[in-house]
Amino acid sequence: MKNTEEFDFIVIGAGSAGVPIAARLSESGKHTVLLLEAGPPRHPFWVKVPMGYVFFLDRKSSYNWGFETEPEPNLANRVIKAPRGRGLGGTSLINSMLYVRGAPFDYDGWKAQGAEGWGYDDVLPFFKKAESHEKGPSEFHGIDGPLNVRGPQSESPIHNVMVDAGVELGFGTTEDFNGATYEGFGRYHHNQFLKNGQRCSTGAAYLGTGHSRANLKITYAAHVTKIDIKENRAVGVYYAQHGESFQAKCRREVVLSAGAFQSPQVLMHSGIGAASELQRFGIDVVLNQPNVGQNLMDHYGADIQCTASKPVTLYSSMKIPGALTALYRLLFKGTGPYTFFPFDSGAMIKSHNGAPRPDTQLLCGDYTRENGRKTMSRHGFNIAWCQSVPSSRGSVKLKSSDPADQPKISYNFLATEDDRLAQRRAFKIVRALLSTNAFSKFMGEEISPGLSCQTDADIDDYVASNGGQHHHPCGTVRMGTAAQGVVDHRLRVHGVSCLRVADASIMPTIVSGNTNAPTIMIGEKAASMILADAV
């Protein structure tokens, strides 16, 4: 065992929350910070390119943990891919770059459940603090933060058609899902640098490429094995690197930001979890906390794939000469189809008249894939959906006593009739959109699932056999009382001092949209609380 230096703070995980925390804790120069990251220190060029996600999202690599679930009992016993990013920026290196905060009622709901200080008015300043929006400052947006946010970029007319189709069906519109009007059809904003069109991950945004702060040490290829806890106080971290074991000590706090799968895993290997589960693997119990790893949530849904009757989709830029033109624009102008994610339009809507709030998210992509392939074979587009407020809950558990093993992930999707009903409703809305006059100008034929899918039973079978999660895992180290959660409203682990968890795992309930922006906000708010307590 090798000893490293002693630090004021140790941050575990350089992801969408961990990077902002390390950056904010170190920016004053008053505190020494160790940031431990399991991924590599450098990224290939295609990680920086928005369309490069196709190379990394579903493939295990140095930049993707490549996790998989257990067979899902309500999804025809399928094993579902559960990608998570590795490297400085975590999953913000390989995600869709959609900047969606969720709805104000999401955070007000957290506050109503007892999460003091987490209502919408409480968190909005931290969203703005993180942000530099291309449209300038407003009541809802900031311009002084490190995270670049820009408006819709796609040049395909399909996305304007998507909005027109929503209006034709009687839905409203919004200019900004993160502004005054959350509900309606509109165009998405993205985390993207203005100067070159490249991905704006948290690593690039907050720490750039220099990492020159003398009081911030970033250690890569560092796989944390457990948190060192003595007399119910976190005093350091054990980690493995290149086959050797190390120990780092901290004077103030350990901050765990390893994500919804690995934060509970690290806690359990550290002796914090359900005693019966820990004892199964010979792990000494530090704190019997059965809530660790419970309450796993994600957004689940499927899509309808269609051919396009006109050459207005991404397919043109995937074949020569269009590909050469797109590559030239990317390299020399920072523009073009390789600089944006294909889901550029969508909606937050109520799926039925009795819904008290928007419960469905839609996303329109100007590409199609057939027979499960990620590559395009012809011009086409798709409309995907997910249920915004699922009631099914899953879990994350240990597979063995080896910290290097993948955690045991069970989403338990579609376990409730409410969730299955929500999928049927979303499917029928998408079918109605595709039947509008707006889409008729580009509509070819429906190729998946095909028009033979008509009954509720058909829809249920299609969604269960072909749907997937939207890569928004959260909730496994829930914020709440010691009886219902793992951390308190200041993200301190109940029963252990000098230990906090700050990432998507602390969400009591999932937000009604993409989770990257909320996770960055959690990092900003966590850093603010930690610094306030360090005075």
Side-chain angles (χ1 to χ4, degrees):
M1 180 71 66
K2 294 185 177 181
N3 288 323
T4 63
E5 305 98 323
E6 187 174 25
F7 300 83
D8 292 323
F9 298 100
I10 299 176
V11 181
I12 302 171
S16 293
V19 167
I21 292 169
R24 297 302 189 190
L25 293 182
S26 63
E27 67 182 352
S28 71
K30 296 179 181 179
H31 307 290
T32 56
V33 180
L34 172 64
L35 177 58
L36 295 172
E37 169 53 41
R42 294 178 180 85
H43 312 137
F45 173 73
W46 283 105
V47 167
K48 302 176 183 179
V49 176
M51 275 295 288
Y53 84 99
V54 299
F55 299 119
F56 300 104
L57 188 59
D58 285 336
R59 300 174 185 175
K60 187 172 183 177
S61 69
S62 300
Y63 311 98
N64 183 353
W65 288 95
F67 294 142
E68 293 183 338
T69 70
E70 298 298 296
E72 289 286 331
N74 307 304
L75 306 183
N77 285 319
R78 288 186 296 137
V79 170
I80 305 298
K81 291 183 182 296
R84 292 287 90 191
R86 303 174 70 180
L88 193 66
T91 304
S92 70
L93 291 169
I94 62 172
N95 71 350
S96 66
M97 307 192 323
L98 294 187
Y99 183 79
V100 181
R101 297 172 177 174
F105 52 69
D106 293 325
Y107 304 101
D108 291 339
W110 291 5
K111 187 175 182 178
Q113 295 176 59
E116 180 185 347
W118 290 87
Y120 180 67
D121 290 341
D122 301 310
V123 302
L124 179 59
F126 294 100
F127 278 117
K128 294 173 68 175
K129 182 179 181 180
E131 183 184 42
S132 177
H133 201 287
E134 69 168 349
K135 292 187 176 180
S138 70
E139 177 186 356
F140 300 100
H141 294 291
I143 58 167
D144 298 321
L147 190 75
N148 279 72
V149 179
R150 67 188 309 184
Q153 299 297 305
S154 176
E155 299 160 352
S156 171
I158 286 290
H159 299 293
N160 290 330
V161 166
M162 175 69 170
V163 177
D164 292 342
V167 173
E168 190 174 329
L169 290 185
F171 292 102
T173 62
T174 178
E175 291 295 319
D176 183 358
F177 291 114
N178 307 302
T181 304
Y182 176 74
E183 184 176 358
F185 278 68
R187 304 286 295 272
Y188 287 113
H189 292 184
H190 304 82
N191 294 129
Q192 188 176 19
F193 287 112
L194 302 182
K195 61 182 179 180
N196 56 19
Q198 292 183 0
R199 169 186 298 274
C200 184
S201 67
T202 55
Y206 281 83
L207 295 175
T209 57
H211 322 315
S212 59
R213 294 177 187 172
N215 62 325
L216 172 62
K217 180 178 181 179
I218 304 175
T219 300
Y220 295 96
H223 193 118
V224 171
T225 54
K226 73 173 186 176
I227 299 165
D228 188 13
I229 300 172
K230 289 183 170 55
E231 297 181 352
N232 289 330
R233 181 181 186 273
V235 298
V237 171
Y238 294 97
Y239 64 95
Q241 184 187 45
H242 306 310
E244 295 186 274
S245 297
F246 295 85
Q247 180 184 17
K249 298 180 180 180
C250 76
R251 289 179 285 267
R252 290 186 177 272
E253 293 190 37
V254 174
V255 186
L256 178 56
S257 298
F261 298 146
Q262 289 161 292
S263 282
Q265 183 184 27
V266 171
L267 288 176
M268 287 185 279
H269 280 295
S270 306
I272 302 173
S276 59
E277 283 293 305
L278 302 183
Q279 290 163 352
R280 285 182 57 213
F281 299 109
I283 299 171
D284 292 335
V285 179
V286 172
L287 178 67
N288 179 25
Q289 175 48 281
N291 295 318
V292 172
Q294 300 302 305
N295 195 47
L296 175 62
M297 298 167 283
D298 203 327
H299 294 126
Y300 183 86
D303 61 18
I304 294 180
Q305 303 275 333
C306 303
T307 61
S309 59
K310 298 178 182 178
V312 293
T313 71
L314 273 174
Y315 183 67
S316 295
S317 63
M318 297 299 158
K319 302 294 180 182
I320 295 175
L324 294 177
T325 301
L327 187 61
Y328 172 82
R329 292 181 66 187
L330 166 71
L331 295 175
F332 296 101
K333 296 185 177 182
T335 63
Y338 290 175
T339 63
F340 55 79
F341 187 71
F343 288 105
D344 201 68
S345 59
M348 309 292 179
I349 58 172
K350 296 174 183 175
S351 65
H352 60 106
N353 291 334
R357 62 180 189 174
D359 60 358
T360 301
Q361 180 178 6
L362 304 179
L363 304 100
C364 180
D366 56 324
Y367 74 100
T368 188
R369 59 187 186 277
E370 299 172 47
N371 300 320
R373 295 178 298 174
K374 295 299 181 183
T375 56
M376 288 170 265
S377 59
R378 50 181 162 172
H379 279 285
F381 60 93
N382 72 87
I383 302 178
W385 68 84
C386 70
Q387 181 189 9
S388 302
V389 285
S391 57
S392 300
R393 296 291 185 270
S395 65
V396 173
K397 297 181 180 181
L398 298 181
K399 281 192 173 182
S400 75
S401 60
D402 185 355
D405 274 358
Q406 173 183 317
K408 184 178 181 180
I409 303 166
S410 301
Y411 270 119
N412 197 31
F413 284 128
L414 304 186
T416 68
E417 178 57 26
D418 283 347
D419 288 0
R420 294 188 290 272
L421 178 59
Q423 296 293 326
R424 294 178 208 131
R425 287 169 169 161
F427 180 98
K428 293 172 184 178
I429 290 172
V430 171
R431 268 272 175 84
L433 286 168
L434 294 170
S435 298
T436 58
N437 289 329
F439 265 109
S440 65
K441 65 185 73 173
F442 296 122
M443 184 69 182
E445 63 174 323
E446 181 181 311
I447 54 177
S448 177
L451 297 181
S452 61
C453 182
Q454 293 290 336
T455 68
D456 285 353
D458 293 337
I459 296 169
D460 288 350
D461 181 67
Y462 175 71
V463 170
S465 300
N466 296 274
Q469 47 90 6
H470 279 220
H471 314 305
H472 303 155
C474 61
T476 51
V477 187
R478 178 180 178 173
M479 177 167 46
T481 65
Q484 68 177 180
V486 181
V487 300
D488 67 11
H489 68 284
R490 295 186 71 78
L491 308 185
R492 300 170 297 201
V493 174
H494 292 295
V496 179
S497 63
C498 301
L499 176 60
R500 301 195 206 217
V501 181
D503 53 35
S505 71
I506 65 92
M507 295 183 183
T509 52
I510 194 168
V511 295
S512 303
N514 304 66
T515 52
N516 188 55
T519 302
I520 295 169
M521 176 276 293
I522 289 168
E524 286 278 10
K525 186 168 171 61
S528 177
M529 292 188 291
I530 293 166
L531 289 171
D533 291 346
V535 174

